[in-house]
Amino acid sequence: MPIKKILVVDDSPTERLALSEVLVRNGYQVVTADSGDEAVVKSKTEHPDLILMDVVMPGTNGYQATRTIVRDDATRDIPVIICTSKGLETDKIWGMRQGAFDYMVKPLDHAVLLDKIRALV
């Protein structure tokens, strides 16, 4: 199933806007959330085809939200790509252990991200 709707999760309005603009320009429908808690709710109400998840957010962080989403029967089939400034190998390993499909370090290379999204068909 091709990716059409993407949930962008980041507590930074600037990051959400920049990523949303790139995705919309490339034909994707974008829904946003500014926290891990909101991401968990919107994963169920919006039924996105993909989630781009920041890690460092107040409250429920991206690792916790990813774990909650991938362990829920209603949302477990939604791939999560963690997009974060946390670039240590241990961070990546931890993110993948939470159930992330992929892990990218900010600043994001938009061309690489778009290639990863297109490869999810």
Side-chain angles (χ1 to χ4, degrees):
M1 176 180 72
I3 303 297
K4 292 181 180 153
K5 186 193 286 189
I6 300 174
L7 174 58
V8 173
V9 185
D10 201 305
D11 61 326
S12 162
T14 306
E15 289 283 340
R16 281 194 314 273
L17 179 62
L19 201 44
S20 295
E21 285 180 349
V22 168
L23 295 169
V24 168
R25 202 169 43 238
N26 282 275
Y28 298 102
Q29 179 186 351
V30 175
V31 181
T32 61
D34 62 9
S35 69
D37 292 321
E38 188 180 3
V40 171
V41 170
K42 285 194 172 178
S43 69
K44 293 179 185 180
T45 60
E46 295 287 340
H47 308 289
D49 301 310
L50 172 66
I51 300 171
L52 301 179
M53 180 79 72
D54 186 24
V55 169
V56 182
M57 297 181 284
T60 300
N61 69 38
Y63 292 140
Q64 294 164 321
T66 297
R67 187 170 55 240
T68 300
I69 290 165
V70 302
R71 290 186 179 169
D72 187 314
D73 288 341
T75 54
R76 71 167 14 122
D77 293 331
I78 305 170
V80 177
I81 297 177
I82 291 180
C83 302
T84 182
S85 56
K86 295 177 70 66
L88 295 177
E89 189 61 24
T90 52
D91 296 322
K92 180 178 181 180
I93 291 167
W94 185 245
M96 298 305 282
R97 281 194 181 154
Q98 303 318 300
F101 176 80
D102 206 339
Y103 193 102
M104 293 183 69
V105 178
K106 292 177 184 174
L108 298 178
D109 180 326
H110 291 151
V112 171
L113 176 62
L114 291 167
D115 285 344
K116 287 178 184 276
I117 294 170
R118 287 184 198 108
L120 283 171
V121 213

